[in-house]
């Protein structure tokens, strides 16, 4: 068995009583003594601190090429508007393969003299190899290991973080700015993956524990593990790579058309031109029958990832698959996301999920289950 990696906050997690699990090659806290349910609700009403240092941090730069040239190269790989991404702004995107499937989804920001991307932990080496193989050799792609990544999420996050690094009210959703703490530079973005207002902070490994101890001394902030991070993102209909997204599912099937700006679509100034554009643009023109949907399972039992969906309670006509499912602490009921094949399913037809050889009724609903609360202005 390969030895698990540890983040710079490993000792702090232990001192806080974290229960750890293996995740994407790391030993990560799944919850603290408060427990997943209470951590989830605490983050929704106040603020939570998350260690997300297992995620990959990429610096994309060049000593010979302009930022415009780098952006042009990146647009060959990402179906989003990189050339129009203003300095100190961030955007959600994904890397499609030649069939339109998703190699990874990511956040990318323009930092003036380089681009900075946050990628999924399980895809770090895959992304790095893919980018280096498909971009100009004049452009450097560096996976940095000298910095940690934490997230502070929830309605009190601005107040709590401002007490440590200075006023944050001028930062709007997806803004990125540098701040100082103990003489060290923090890269702070107003973003996160809980559907709430919050921030992600990239900071030197050597500073991470000191910073987190300092901010945890503030009232209204609790450490939150991966368990609650998963239920928080699910309530807001946010995808998890490896479950809701993979290399066989396209962005359009996943309901991510909104992330492809009009300038990159058919008729746009820079339409297509990215790997997989034939399949993706065709699906924008003619929506696919196979697509991500939201479900309310009946009863109290969550229907989790891998649950097969059928059109009857005999299990004879398989129509889809649940990719994410859990109990929603906010709604106090089970919720699930997954994919339906609409060639085998019609609106208002019954849906059943199979759990331990029993079939449970499911109702089709709409995403998100819980509204997002990003600071838009």
């Amino acid at each position: 068995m390969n030895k698990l990696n540890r983040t710079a906050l490993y000792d702090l997690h232990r001192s806080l009583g974290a229960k750890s699990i293996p995740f994407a090659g790391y030993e990560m806290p799944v919850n603290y003594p408060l427990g997943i349910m209470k951590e989830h609700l605490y983050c929704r009403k106040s603020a939570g601190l998350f260690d997300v240092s297992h995620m990959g941090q990429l610096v994309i730069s060049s000593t010979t090429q302009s930022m415009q040239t780098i952006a042009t190269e990146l647009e060959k790989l990402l179906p989003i508007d990189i050339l129009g991404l203003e300095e100190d702004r961030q955007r959600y995107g994904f890397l499609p393969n030649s069939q339109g499937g998703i190699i990874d989804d990511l956040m990318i920001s323009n930092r003036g003299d380089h681009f900075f991307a946050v990628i999924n932990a399980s895809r770090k080496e895959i992304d790095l190899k893919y980018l280096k193989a498909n971009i100009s050799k004049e452009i450097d792609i560096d996976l940095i290991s000298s910095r940690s990544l934490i997230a502070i999420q929830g309605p009190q996050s601005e107040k709590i973080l401002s007490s440590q690094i200075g006023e944050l009210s001028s930062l709007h959703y997806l803004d990125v700015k540098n701040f100082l703490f103990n003489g060290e530079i923090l890269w702070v973005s107003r973003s996160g993956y809980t559907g709430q207002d919050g921030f992600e902070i990239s900071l030197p490994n050597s500073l991470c524990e000191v910073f987190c101890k300092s901010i945890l001394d503030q009232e209204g902030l609790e450490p939150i593990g991966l368990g609650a991070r998963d239920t928080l993102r699910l309530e807001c209909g946010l995808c998890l790579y490896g479950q809701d997204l993979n290399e066989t599912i396209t962005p359009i099937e996943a309901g991510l058309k909104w992330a492809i700006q009009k300038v990159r679509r058919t008729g746009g100034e820079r339409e297509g031109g990215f790997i997989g554009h034939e399949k993706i643009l065709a699906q924008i023109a003619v929506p696919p029958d196979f697509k991500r949907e939201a479900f309310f399972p009946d009863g109290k039992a969550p229907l989790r990832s891998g649950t097969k969906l059928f059109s009857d309670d005999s299990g004879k006509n398989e129509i889809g698959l649940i990719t994410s499912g859990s109990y929603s602490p906010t709604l106090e009921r089970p919720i699930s996301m997954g994919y339906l094949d609409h060639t085998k399913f019609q609106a208002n037809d019954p849906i059943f999920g199979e759990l331990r050889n029993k079939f449970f009724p499911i109702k089709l609903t709409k995403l998100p289950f819980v509204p997002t609360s990003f600071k838009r202005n």
Side-chain angles (χ1 to χ4, degrees), residues 297-372:
D298 282 357
K300 296 181 179 180
L303 298 182
R304 303 185 186 275
S305 177
T307 301
K308 293 180 179 180
L309 302 178
F310 298 89
S311 62
D312 55 46
D313 59 3
S314 68
K316 293 181 179 178
N317 182 33
E318 187 174 338
I319 59 174
L321 183 74
I322 286 176
T323 52
S324 284
S326 186
Y327 182 82
S328 164
T330 303
L331 301 179
E332 299 182 333
R333 64 167 304 158
I335 57 174
S336 298
M337 291 193 306
Y339 288 84
L340 277 183
D341 184 345
H342 286 261
T343 63
K344 301 178 181 179
F345 170 82
Q346 302 299 319
N348 301 318
D349 281 359
I351 306 173
F352 294 86
E354 183 184 13
L355 177 63
R356 294 188 290 272
N357 297 317
K358 294 183 179 180
F359 294 87
F360 295 84
I362 295 176
K363 295 177 182 176
L364 196 61
T365 185
K366 294 186 180 296
L367 293 171
F369 300 101
V370 174
T372 58

Side-chain angles (χ1 to χ4, degrees), residues 8-9 51 53 57 145-150 201-205 208:
L9 293 178
D51 182 6
S53 301
Q57 300 182 64
S145 58
S146 60
R147 299 181 75 87
S148 297
L149 191 67
I150 62 170
I201 304 112
S202 173
L203 69 172
N205 291 335
C208 192

Side-chain angles (χ1 to χ4, degrees), residues 250-308:
T250 71
I252 312 307
E253 292 165 350
L256 301 176
K257 181 177 75 173
W258 58 267
I260 303 174
Q261 288 74 38
K262 290 183 179 180
V263 71
R264 305 303 312 278
R265 300 185 192 182
T266 301
E269 183 182 344
R270 299 191 307 281
E271 71 171 80
F274 53 87
I275 292 174
H277 73 265
E278 297 92 345
K279 178 71 170 285
I280 290 171
L281 295 185
Q283 287 190 334
I284 290 177
V286 181
D289 292 315
F290 180 78
K291 56 185 179 179
R292 182 166 61 107
E293 301 283 8
F295 309 104
F296 280 142
D298 282 357
K300 296 181 179 180
L303 298 182
R304 303 185 186 275
S305 177
T307 301
K308 293 180 179 180

Side-chain angles (χ1 to χ4, degrees), residues 169-231:
S169 60
S170 63
L171 253 66
H172 298 126
Y173 181 52
L174 299 183
D175 280 350
V176 187
K177 188 176 178 181
N178 291 351
F179 289 84
L180 284 175
F181 181 85
N182 285 6
E184 299 273 11
I185 296 175
L186 313 184
W187 306 341
V188 180
S189 65
R190 194 157 201 154
S191 61
Y193 221 59
T194 63
Q196 305 175 108
D197 186 24
F199 303 85
E200 289 194 344
I201 304 112
S202 173
L203 69 172
N205 291 335
S206 58
L207 184 68
C208 192
E209 184 173 334
V210 172
F211 179 81
C212 289
K213 282 182 176 178
S214 177
I215 202 164
L216 283 169
D217 285 339
Q218 308 304 306
E219 185 178 352
L221 184 70
E222 287 285 344
I224 310 292
L226 292 181
R229 187 169 187 259
D230 190 53
T231 54

